[in-house]
Amino acid sequence: MDLLRALVRTARMARHTSGLADGLPADDDVLLDAPDERLGPALVAAGRGEYAPAARLLAATREAVEWENRDRYALRFAGFARARDPWLREWRRAAPHDPDVLLVRAELAVSRGWHSPARVELLREAGPLIMAAAERAPRDPVPWRIALDHARGTGLGRAGFERLWAEAVRRSPHHYGCHVSALKYLSAAWYGSHPECFDFAERAAEDALPGSLVQALPVRAAFAHLVDGGGPEVRRARLDEAADRAIALSAAYEPGDPWPAEVRNLLTYVLVRLERWPDALEQLRRIGPYATSFPWDRVSGDPLGQFLQLRDGVRLEVASSMPLLTRSGKRAGRPAARSQTSTSERARPDGD
């Protein structure tokens, strides 16, 4: 009987897997962490040693109160400067008190601190720079997101965390980056627990504006729980509810939209771990060509390769559950994505 099941599974995969590639871009067309049309030219200019485009872009986000874009761009500029920073040094010499260069420098200092063996010492040295960025742009919540990351690394106590959180939400009550940083602080890996992490995420999602990425915060809590090994602290139903909420958010955006790409990549990871294969395949189609390093860099040193490998694995899993033939004798078509709540052993994205 086991041999028969294996043969049927193999036959299903052989029949259906190729057809399930419909709606998925070719491997060569998939991009990792692709910049948007505003960020791309600024990064190219930075590669030439020119800071002016980056300065103009961040100034525009500050003046237009585009806090989510400002946060994303500051992270990307700081990440670029970790490897190539002559343009940033030139910008600092030209405008040392510019709130935008201070923001990038603060993010860069915290990023370097996190990746150093002397983490706590370097992070503490970054504190004055973060406060300088906050003082130069009093309405900006992004320095307070950086401060929350800084607090996690320096071991700031709960009272200090609450003070920083209050400053962040006073400036932008629904800022996604600040919520993500707070969620990390409250996670079991740091200073909270999985239930506390979920409680915070679910409250924030309930209060979030329509279409806000904050609605995906529970799926980040689910991710933290799953990478920590899972367990009885969080019910399976709560994980599925988090995934369902993120699926609804994803549906509010067009397929191939780069804005929710990271949320969709994260959601796909969680759906795979929950063995909800058709739902995972639907999210892969919605991701389109926009793979993101997170969360795949948490399970592989080659996040793009991991993403592409996972796409193949999900197609195989979906194909293996499809009937060989319909009642009319025709080949089965593309399955609709439906929620599955299997409680069998969780699958890992790397196939282990």
Side-chain angles (χ1 to χ4, degrees), residues 51-52 55 86-98 101:
Y51 69 84
W87 63 280
L88 184 59
R89 293 199 303 270
E90 184 67 23
W91 186 4
R92 178 186 178 185
R93 284 193 291 268
H97 304 297
D98 182 343
V101 75

Side-chain angles (χ1 to χ4, degrees), residues 38 41-42 45 48 50-63 70 73 77 91 98 100:
R38 299 167 72 188
R48 297 194 300 263
E50 302 169 11
Y51 69 84
R56 287 194 296 268
L57 179 55
L58 285 179
T61 63
R62 176 167 43 84
E63 292 161 4
R70 182 172 177 80
Y73 296 158
F77 286 135
W91 186 4
D98 182 343
D100 306 315

Side-chain angles (χ1 to χ4, degrees), residues 71 74-75 107 141-150 168 175 177-178 181:
D71 199 359
L75 282 163
E107 177 60 41
V142 182
W144 298 99
R145 191 271 301 160
I146 299 172
L148 288 165
D149 287 340
H150 179 263
H175 186 261
C178 288
S181 293

Side-chain angles (χ1 to χ4, degrees), residues 22 36 184 196:
D22 291 347
D36 65 24
K184 291 177 181 177
E196 183 178 18

Side-chain angles (χ1 to χ4, degrees), residues 15 33 50 71 146 153 167 197 292 295 313 343:
R15 168 156 292 195
D33 300 327
E50 302 169 11
D71 199 359
I146 299 172
E167 294 286 354
C197 190
T292 57
T343 56

Side-chain angles (χ1 to χ4, degrees), residues 24-32 265 284 288-292 296 300 302-315 349:
L24 297 176
D27 286 2
D28 290 344
D29 294 333
V30 177
L31 308 171
L32 185 69
N265 277 255
L284 288 168
Y290 296 108
T292 57
W296 314 114
S300 172
D302 177 14
L304 180 57
Q306 178 67 57
F307 175 80
L308 295 174
Q309 180 182 348
L310 176 130
R311 291 200 315 171
D312 292 339
V314 169
R315 287 166 54 213

Side-chain angles (χ1 to χ4, degrees), residues 210-348:
S212 169
L213 298 185
V214 174
Q215 291 184 17
L217 217 59
V219 90
R220 289 196 75 111
F223 169 79
H225 175 69
L226 291 168
V227 298
D228 198 31
E233 274 189 296
V234 178
R235 295 176 295 107
R236 167 65 192 242
R238 202 171 192 183
L239 300 174
D240 281 312
E241 288 164 5
D244 290 340
R245 187 189 292 271
I247 288 172
L249 174 65
S250 175
Y253 291 91
E254 290 296 320
D257 187 335
W259 178 257
E262 186 179 270
V263 165
R264 283 172 168 163
N265 277 255
L266 177 63
L267 171 58
T268 300
Y269 176 99
V270 171
L271 290 168
V272 167
R273 291 291 300 272
L274 297 178
E275 297 183 350
R276 293 174 53 169
W277 306 113
D279 286 330
L281 182 58
E282 177 60 23
Q283 291 308 310
L284 288 168
R285 291 191 175 108
R286 287 186 167 274
I287 287 168
Y290 296 108
T292 57
S293 290
F294 177 78
W296 314 114
D297 58 2
R298 300 304 190 269
V299 295
S300 172
D302 177 14
L304 180 57
Q306 178 67 57
F307 175 80
L308 295 174
Q309 180 182 348
L310 176 130
R311 291 200 315 171
D312 292 339
V314 169
R315 287 166 54 213
L316 287 171
E317 290 291 346
V318 173
S320 70
S321 66
M322 296 173 65
L324 284 172
L325 299 171
T326 63
R327 290 183 178 179
S328 63
K330 297 179 179 179
R331 290 178 58 176
R334 170 174 162 177
R338 297 192 61 181
S339 297
Q340 297 179 347
T341 54
S342 168
T343 56
S344 60
E345 182 180 353
R346 290 182 300 274
R348 294 190 62 84

